[in-house]
Amino acid sequence: MATAAKEAAPAKGAAGGPQLKLLVDKRSRRVLYAEAHKDAVDFLIGLLRVPAGLAARVLAKHGERAPGSLGALYAGAASLDDAFFVSGKPNRAALLSPAPPSAALPLLLGGEDTAEALPPPPPPPPAKRYFRCAGGPFYSSCSGNPTTVTDVSGLPCPVCGQPMTVEMKWTPGDAQGKPATAQEAAGEGSGGYVKDVVTCLVMDDLTIEPISTISAIMLLKKFNISDSSVLEEMTVELGTKEAVMLLRVSMESATVLTDVFSGGVAIDRVDGDQ
């Protein structure tokens, strides 16, 4: 390739927000792909956890109509009188736009009404408990080595008939047989969805792939790029406006990055911080 790709100035975004490094074909202004670190990948995956009602509410707040009839459905339900609901004064935010935990929420909500949008978390389920029989005297078939457990204390042992009341301790582990921490056992990991060391390729249609030199070269071949002078690197920082546009355009287009960041959609049309 003849020359190095030119790097453009970063696009305006929220300070300290996730970043995408876009590779743009200057001839067509099409985004070929983007490089994304953990925080940006977590945000994109978090979009999948945004319920339809919350998406409609976020888009309406920024003057954007939700695709199809979703916006009309949300607006109509939100305008219903309290008398129509089973509960006299319904929590409309929790009812019409519930907000389950999602890495996309802080950007979509702009940090100003996150607490209001999030319904109180449900109480944690009681810990699972397991019981075995006491093993009985030496002549019992379960002597010294009970083989049956239950999660109902007092259930008769199907082998020896004794009540199964001796509580056993559950030790979670991983595929390699190593004990897991309480956080890992709950599926929480270290926060977010992908590991800290992960850098991914994000395609124009938001397909996420592991990054490698070979994959990048193959993509340039796919797009018939033989001279890197036609390429431009553009770093964009994701703020609330960018997050809202990504949410909306992802439901309408297969060229999301191009539409949002390379002239297809005007970011400044979205209401919010200037």
Side-chain angles (χ1 to χ4, degrees):
M1 294 190 178
T3 59
K6 179 183 176 184
E7 183 162 2
K12 181 183 175 184
Q19 292 186 341
L20 294 172
K21 183 181 284 188
L22 310 175
L23 191 64
V24 182
D25 185 338
K26 292 190 289 186
R27 300 167 299 181
S28 63
R29 300 307 303 166
R30 179 177 182 182
V31 176
L32 305 184
Y33 61 82
E35 291 183 17
H37 294 294
K38 171 183 168 57
D39 52 358
V41 176
D42 280 346
F43 165 77
L44 293 173
I45 294 176
L47 289 178
L48 298 173
R49 295 178 55 83
V50 177
L54 180 59
R57 176 184 150 208
V58 167
L59 292 174
K61 175 184 174 184
H62 292 276
E64 293 291 325
R65 188 170 178 82
S69 300
L70 185 60
L73 172 61
Y74 176 81
S79 65
L80 285 175
D81 190 89
D82 287 350
F84 284 91
F85 293 94
V86 174
S87 56
K89 280 191 167 290
N91 182 339
R92 292 174 187 263
L95 176 65
L96 303 179
S97 53
S102 167
L105 284 187
L107 280 180
L108 288 175
L109 298 174
E112 57 191 60
D113 59 354
T114 307
E116 176 188 335
L118 287 170
K128 199 77 171 173
R129 301 175 67 190
Y130 300 93
F131 305 89
R132 62 169 175 85
C133 66
F138 68 91
Y139 53 82
S140 167
S141 51
C142 287
S143 177
N145 187 31
T147 58
T148 305
V149 296
T150 181
D151 56 0
V152 180
S153 178
L155 200 70
C157 174
V159 178
C160 68
Q162 296 185 90
M164 304 172 75
T165 55
V166 178
E167 188 165 0
M168 303 180 71
K169 185 176 181 180
W170 170 258
T171 303
D174 60 16
Q176 286 72 44
K178 295 184 295 184
T181 65
Q183 188 182 38
E184 291 169 339
E188 297 170 2
S190 58
Y193 311 117
V194 297
K195 295 181 178 178
D196 285 323
V197 295
V198 166
T199 300
C200 293
L201 287 179
V202 180
M203 309 308 295
D204 201 9
D205 63 359
L206 300 188
T207 300
I208 299 172
E209 301 177 357
I211 192 171
S212 72
T213 303
I214 293 177
S215 60
I217 292 173
M218 293 305 293
L219 282 171
L220 293 180
K221 278 188 166 184
K222 173 184 175 182
F223 292 116
N224 197 28
I225 303 294
S226 57
D227 181 0
S228 64
S229 65
V230 305
L231 299 177
E232 177 183 42
E233 282 188 1
M234 181 170 64
T235 301
V236 295
E237 207 167 82
L238 303 183
T240 296
K241 289 192 280 189
E242 291 80 4
V244 171
M245 294 306 296
L246 284 169
L247 173 65
R248 183 179 72 77
V249 178
S250 68
M251 295 187 279
E252 301 176 333
S253 172
T255 55
V256 180
L257 298 182
T258 295
D259 293 346
V260 173
F261 298 115
S262 192
V265 174
I267 289 293
D268 291 337
R269 283 199 303 105
V270 184
D271 295 330
D273 38 300
Q274 302 297 321

